[in-house]
Amino acid sequence: MILSHSPAELFAAADEPNLIAHAGLAPAIRLAERCDLPALIAEKVKLTGAGNGAGTAPDAKAMSIVGGMVAGADSIDDLDVLRHGGLAKLFGGVRAPSTLGTFLRAFTWGHVRQLESATRAFVCNLAAHTGFVPTGDEVVFVDIDSKVKQVYGSAKQGASFGYTKVRGLHFQIVTVKTAHCAPVIVATRLRKGSSNSGKGAASLLREALATVRAMGITAQIVVRADSAYFSHKVVAVCRAAGARFSLAVAVKKSIRAAIETIDQDAWTPIKYTAAVWDADEERWISDAEIAEIDFTAFTSKRKAFHTTARLIVRRVKRLNPKTVPEGQSELFAVWRHHVIFTDSRFTLAQAEPMHREHAAVEQVFADLEDSALGHLPSGNFTANAAWLTLAAAAYNLTRAAGHLASTFHARARTGTIRRHLINVPARIARPGRRVVLHLPEHWRWTDDFADLWAATGQRMLT
């Protein structure tokens, strides 16, 4: 590609009042309105007593933040992306970034909980309206995980050093997915940077499982998590909600003792890194093998919390002898072990790779950090907690818009959905009493945009 004009012939002018850069915001905000996000926030979020008018019109302010996030804003100042060109001719109630910052800083922890309640109801409405979480699948996976978001400056409330050795704030998310859909966020919580990964997990998971059931999902739920969430409280929440669990387990003394009781003939090679299928013997030739054994966990707790389930072990050969920990027995000098504690109904060959798919939650973290969670933008802890909650709502709204657009966009990254369907330039025209968005000609994603446009109750001109 080369420019077809010289600098002397090419000019620019910022003087077009009818041009917008984010035409895809129109169907996205229409979808949010159809699923009652403004009404839910107006009903549930009551910032009574807030100074400087921060408590007025919480629905308009929250929608301004969500709209900016859908367009790619990752800080309070970036929310000014909604105030350019002809956007004022399409949207009313857009607030200035300074107003939105004052609004966020007026939140207390109780107000954050009100906002979380509104966004949980919103994701249920989104699911009912768009079907972006299938209710007909036999198994639904609920994944819980946490991440430390690095921040800068000691003045940010709650920021401290945790296991990552960086200054940050530590947030948890819970997602729901099936074999046929991308992850959807059903619960979030912000904690201090020094918080353990599993702190508060049981209560957050309880809320998330209630939300999943409120979506109309009656299928078997399997909760997946890493070893930070291996606790009697998490297991108790799963069983109280009628869900099954698949939890990674740290290899400690009692687990090592259980592994050593597994018969050598019980190990089965699996498809893993560099595995080769032997057609004659009909088995994998692999450096990884799996086996299972019954195990009773949490025996140090009172008897009501003792839980007997399957201990699934994957062992992988240590090819580098220097990686063998000093003082380990011969068994552990040869193999590296990864352990799962589960009561799922999957067979051994199904349960182990199924648990590994928990890693899909990392893509959600990547998507959030590629958009609204590029920063936790305030020095105020509860403002950042509200920002996280609205970021999850914006993620789900973007995901639902992609689902309505096409099969490809239903599973695409949210950054891809923004580039293809949201951040689309358009010129506003007003023939007669109508408003028409003139989109680019020969645009590759016209058909997908048209499907999204029609799904939100609007018509394309032909």
Side-chain angles (χ1 to χ4, degrees):
M1 177 186 288
I2 60 172
L3 277 169
S4 56
H5 301 279
S6 69
E9 298 172 320
L10 187 61
F11 297 88
D15 59 0
E16 176 52 70
N18 295 312
L19 192 65
I20 61 175
H22 310 291
L25 278 177
I29 297 303
R30 180 79 73 192
L31 178 59
E33 291 171 344
R34 284 188 155 203
C35 294
D36 294 330
L37 180 56
L40 287 166
I41 291 172
E43 174 191 348
K44 294 176 179 289
V45 180
K46 305 296 183 182
L47 293 171
T48 54
N52 299 321
T56 60
D59 51 341
K61 293 171 183 175
M63 287 299 296
S64 294
I65 296 171
V66 169
M69 289 174 168
V70 171
D74 67 355
S75 67
I76 294 173
D77 284 346
D78 267 3
L79 296 173
D80 212 25
V81 72
L82 298 180
R83 302 197 306 163
H84 70 264
L87 277 175
K89 300 177 181 179
L90 284 181
F91 302 103
V94 176
R95 300 303 199 261
S98 58
T99 301
L100 299 176
T102 301
F103 169 66
L104 290 170
R105 289 188 293 272
F107 274 73
T108 66
W109 187 247
H111 297 132
V112 173
R113 298 288 286 155
Q114 292 172 356
L115 185 61
E116 289 173 349
S117 175
T119 56
R120 287 197 300 270
F122 171 61
V123 74
C124 291
N125 291 347
L126 271 180
H129 189 79
T130 68
F132 70 158
V133 180
T135 58
D137 285 12
E138 293 183 359
V139 180
V140 171
F141 299 104
V142 171
D143 295 301
I144 181 170
D145 209 339
S146 67
K147 185 176 180 64
V148 175
K149 175 61 184 173
Q150 186 172 10
V151 299
Y152 304 90
S154 57
K156 195 176 288 282
Q157 289 181 351
S160 53
F161 295 90
Y163 69 94
T164 61
K165 310 302 182 185
V166 299
R167 188 194 306 276
L169 290 167
H170 199 170
F171 67 94
Q172 288 174 332
I173 66 170
V174 184
T175 66
V176 59
K177 74 179 296 295
T178 74
H180 301 101
C181 77
V184 172
I185 300 174
V186 291
T188 62
R189 184 164 296 166
L190 187 66
R191 294 98 45 76
K192 295 192 300 182
S194 58
S195 297
N196 294 329
S197 294
K199 181 180 180 181
S203 61
L204 184 66
L205 185 60
R206 185 181 298 109
E207 293 174 1
L209 291 173
T211 302
V212 172
R213 290 304 188 198
M215 288 179 172
I217 294 171
T218 57
Q220 177 64 65
I221 296 174
V222 177
V223 175
R224 301 184 295 196
D226 62 28
S227 59
Y229 299 91
F230 178 67
S231 77
H232 67 285
K233 293 180 180 179
V234 168
V235 169
V237 167
C238 292
R239 293 200 158 172
R244 298 186 179 272
F245 55 83
S246 180
L247 308 175
V249 185
V251 181
K252 296 183 178 179
K253 184 177 179 180
S254 61
I255 301 298
R256 291 193 191 103
I259 294 172
E260 288 175 346
T261 66
I262 299 176
D263 191 283
Q264 288 303 308
D265 295 333
W267 294 97
T268 303
I270 60 170
K271 184 179 181 181
Y272 202 64
T273 305
V276 177
W277 176 253
D278 188 319
D280 294 332
E281 298 188 13
E282 296 185 342
R283 68 182 183 92
W284 288 101
I285 299 174
S286 174
D287 286 334
E289 300 173 339
I290 55 174
E292 69 174 285
I293 190 172
D294 288 341
F295 182 77
T296 301
F298 318 123
T299 53
S300 63
K301 307 298 180 183
R302 70 174 190 265
K303 192 171 182 179
F305 292 121
H306 295 187
T307 305
T308 300
R310 303 154 65 198
L311 204 65
I312 294 177
V313 184
R314 179 177 80 250
R315 66 180 188 179
V316 183
K317 283 184 179 178
R318 291 185 183 272
L319 301 181
N320 182 359
K322 293 182 179 179
T323 64
V324 179
E326 183 179 354
Q328 295 282 23
S329 67
E330 182 62 25
L331 173 67
F332 290 90
V334 177
W335 300 96
R336 184 173 71 251
H337 292 79
H338 306 269
V339 184
I340 304 162
F341 186 61
T342 181
D343 66 347
S344 74
R345 294 176 179 173
F346 291 100
T347 65
L348 172 62
Q350 294 170 328
E352 194 277 333
M354 176 275 296
H355 180 86
R356 276 188 270 144
E357 292 176 2
H358 167 69
V361 75
E362 296 295 336
Q363 185 59 64
V364 180
F365 288 136
D367 279 6
L368 289 171
E369 293 196 316
D370 188 37
S371 54
L373 285 193
H375 302 88
L376 285 167
S378 178
N380 184 290
F381 182 84
T382 49
N384 286 325
W387 181 270
L388 171 64
T389 305
L390 292 171
Y395 169 92
N396 290 335
L397 180 59
T398 305
R399 176 67 62 209
H403 177 82
L404 294 177
S406 71
T407 302
F408 167 77
H409 289 104
R411 299 185 70 92
R413 295 182 62 249
T414 54
T416 300
I417 297 171
R418 276 195 303 278
R419 286 192 300 274
H420 290 179
L421 303 174
I422 304 298
N423 297 342
V424 184
R427 178 175 57 84
I428 299 175
R430 300 183 69 95
R433 296 185 177 182
R434 298 179 297 175
V435 177
V436 179
L437 300 184
H438 290 278
L439 303 166
E441 191 179 19
H442 306 304
W443 173 35
R444 180 179 177 184
W445 308 108
T446 299
D447 290 342
D448 295 344
F449 184 90
D451 288 343
L452 171 59
W453 190 261
T456 53
Q458 298 161 126
R459 293 177 296 169
M460 295 284 290
L461 289 182
T462 57

